[in-house]
DNA sequence: TTTTTCTACTAACGATTGTTTGTGGATGTA
DNA sequence: TACATCCACAAACAATCGTTAGTAGAAAAA
């Protein structure tokens, strides 16, 4: 058991450093020798811990995807108006990202370098997640909470654009903590959708 | 003269194909042999038209930057309320992107692969552009057009996140034309900022 | 003790990278 | 005709890529 933990621990170190590197230079421009140097070892030594470069990317992307999914599922259980459900979905999404901003940036920007069939799987997860947010918005339009004048695809894509770029500019040491950030972002986006 | 046009024409073909390739695979993962193949020539032949791979990226990034700057300068001349100025700035930004969605995507996602000192120059142009939008928002807060409860950095970054991801999902053959898209996006974002 | 697990090394592989050199046909201009 | 420009080629360059093979010390488990 402790072996497994120690193993995971070192492997985890490799993956986390890789996340930083992938975020900074991009997956394709980041070499295994770069990664090894950051860890103070030789490139070949990395392969004692991971099977391939892409395995690292897969692990980062699909772990984040699972977190997002889990967060949204809890929100969907709630029996609240669509506007509040959307708001809670946004806050949940922000909090998942805030827990690991580095992995979030990789998830968002580097997933396209996954090879098949992983890329297809990833994109299916993603379209499913987006569609579930779209459903919440459509519910809100139906109940009259949201404007019916705005294109729904536009609305949901604008929402995700705002959310997904957050890891690129948010500074966790800044004056806004993740909770307040989620609140303000949700307020800004939801009130932009709400009927006047 | 006609020589110059023919020359520019072929060089332009190379750059535009490169933009498509860079958008699809990312700058680092796109090889000059890939690009040559798309054009039906050998990789070495590319160097009859361009000096280096990065020269293409520079050309794409800085040409777009100039377009954005030009658009914003016209908006800044207008003597209108801040909310309308912001709205027009958004519409202008969208229209510049819509004119070349491929180059816009490269501008947004691949600029980080510029080497120094070009990267520094690019980032300075960009922060300047963002700050000028921030000024418009601050003016609006001062005149009471916009809420003063929202963090201004958050507001402006959310704005740009929404705008900058548009090339990733917008389909020019869709039902929404660029003009209507700009209108709706501006409406959605500005009314989210406006006092109730 | 013996055995296993973890972590790292050196050396090297075949493939691919951006780019340079030198060449030459085709086209238009003087 | 003679010259210049454009555009493409084949061949090759050093550098770097992800990865494998084989080895070994150190620590933990049996």
């Amino acid at each position: 058991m402790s072996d497994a933990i120690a193993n995971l621990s070192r492997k985890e170190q490799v993956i986390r450093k890789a996340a930083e590197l992938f975020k900074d230079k991009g997956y394709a421009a980041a070499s295994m020798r770069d990664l090894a140097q950051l860890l103070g070892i030789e490139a070949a030594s990395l392969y004692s811990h991971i099977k391939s470069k892409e395995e690292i990317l897969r692990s980062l992307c699909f772990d984040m995807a699972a977190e997002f999914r889990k967060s949204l599922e809890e929100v969907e259980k709630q029996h609240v108006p669509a506007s509040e459900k959307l708001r809670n979905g946004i806050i949940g999404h922000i909090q998942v990202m805030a827990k690991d901003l580095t992995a979030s940036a990789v998830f968002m920007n580097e997933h396209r370098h996954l090879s098949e069939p992983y890329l297809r799987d990833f994109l299916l997860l993603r379209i499913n997640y987006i569609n579930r947010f779209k459903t919440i918005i459509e519910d809100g339009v139906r109940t009259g909470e949201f404007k019916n004048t705005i294109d729904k695809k536009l609305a949901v894509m604008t929402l995700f654009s705002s959310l997904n770029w957050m890891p690129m500019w948010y500074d966790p040491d800044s004056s806004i903590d993740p909770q307040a950030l989620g609140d303000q972002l949700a307020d800004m986006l939801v009130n932009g959708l709400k009927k006047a």
Side-chain angles (χ1 to χ4, degrees), chain A:
Chain A
M1 183 70 87
S2 60
D3 309 35
I5 289 173
N7 183 10
L8 282 183
S9 175
R10 189 53 171 158
K11 182 172 184 175
E12 199 69 20
Q13 285 175 38
V14 170
I15 292 176
R16 294 189 69 81
K17 268 281 182 245
E20 293 175 27
L21 184 65
F22 293 172
K23 178 186 179 180
D24 288 346
K25 306 187 64 170
Y27 177 79
S31 78
M32 296 303 272
R33 285 168 179 85
D34 290 337
L35 175 56
Q37 194 171 14
L38 287 177
L39 290 160
I41 61 177
E42 293 298 316
S45 308
L46 292 168
Y47 292 83
S48 301
H49 308 287
I50 48 104
K51 290 199 198 77
S52 68
K53 185 185 181 187
E54 201 192 316
E55 187 207 32
I56 302 177
L57 182 62
R58 278 203 297 271
S59 148
L60 288 167
C61 288
F62 286 95
D63 285 359
M64 284 302 301
E67 291 294 312
F68 285 127
R69 183 195 188 86
K70 200 164 58 181
S71 163
L72 181 54
E73 257 162 20
E74 286 200 15
V75 170
E76 284 174 332
K77 283 180 200 159
Q78 304 170 357
H79 296 92
V80 296
S83 59
E84 197 174 331
K85 211 177 245 190
L86 179 57
R87 185 186 141 80
N88 290 340
I90 291 170
I91 291 176
H93 189 96
I94 291 280
Q95 281 176 340
V96 168
M97 290 201 301
K99 257 194 288 181
D100 194 340
L101 287 166
T102 309
S104 297
V106 173
F107 170 89
M108 177 183 66
N109 286 317
E110 311 300 333
H111 67 259
R112 63 170 153 179
H113 294 108
L114 290 168
S115 66
E116 299 293 356
Y118 305 101
L119 179 57
R120 167 169 284 125
D121 291 345
F122 180 90
L123 294 177
L124 284 175
L125 286 177
R126 190 198 200 212
I127 194 69
N128 176 270
Y129 186 74
I130 290 178
N131 278 338
R132 284 155 78 173
F133 267 90
K134 200 168 155 199
T135 298
I136 297 177
I137 291 179
E138 285 165 349
D139 287 348
V141 170
R142 206 175 308 114
T143 62
E145 289 176 78
F146 296 145
K147 292 177 186 172
N148 61 0
T149 55
I150 222 158
D151 183 84
K152 279 152 215 151
K153 184 184 174 188
L154 171 69
V156 77
M157 292 318 288
T158 300
L159 168 64
F160 275 99
S161 302
S162 309
L163 294 182
N164 288 339
W165 260 42
M166 185 272 270
M168 307 287 275
W169 57 265
Y170 175 63
D171 171 18
D173 300 329
S174 79
S175 54
I176 317 179
D177 63 75
Q179 175 69 42
L181 176 67
D183 278 353
Q184 287 212 17
L185 206 45
D187 182 55
M188 185 169 159
L189 292 166
V190 170
N191 289 342
L193 281 169
K194 257 189 174 168
K195 247 180 191 163

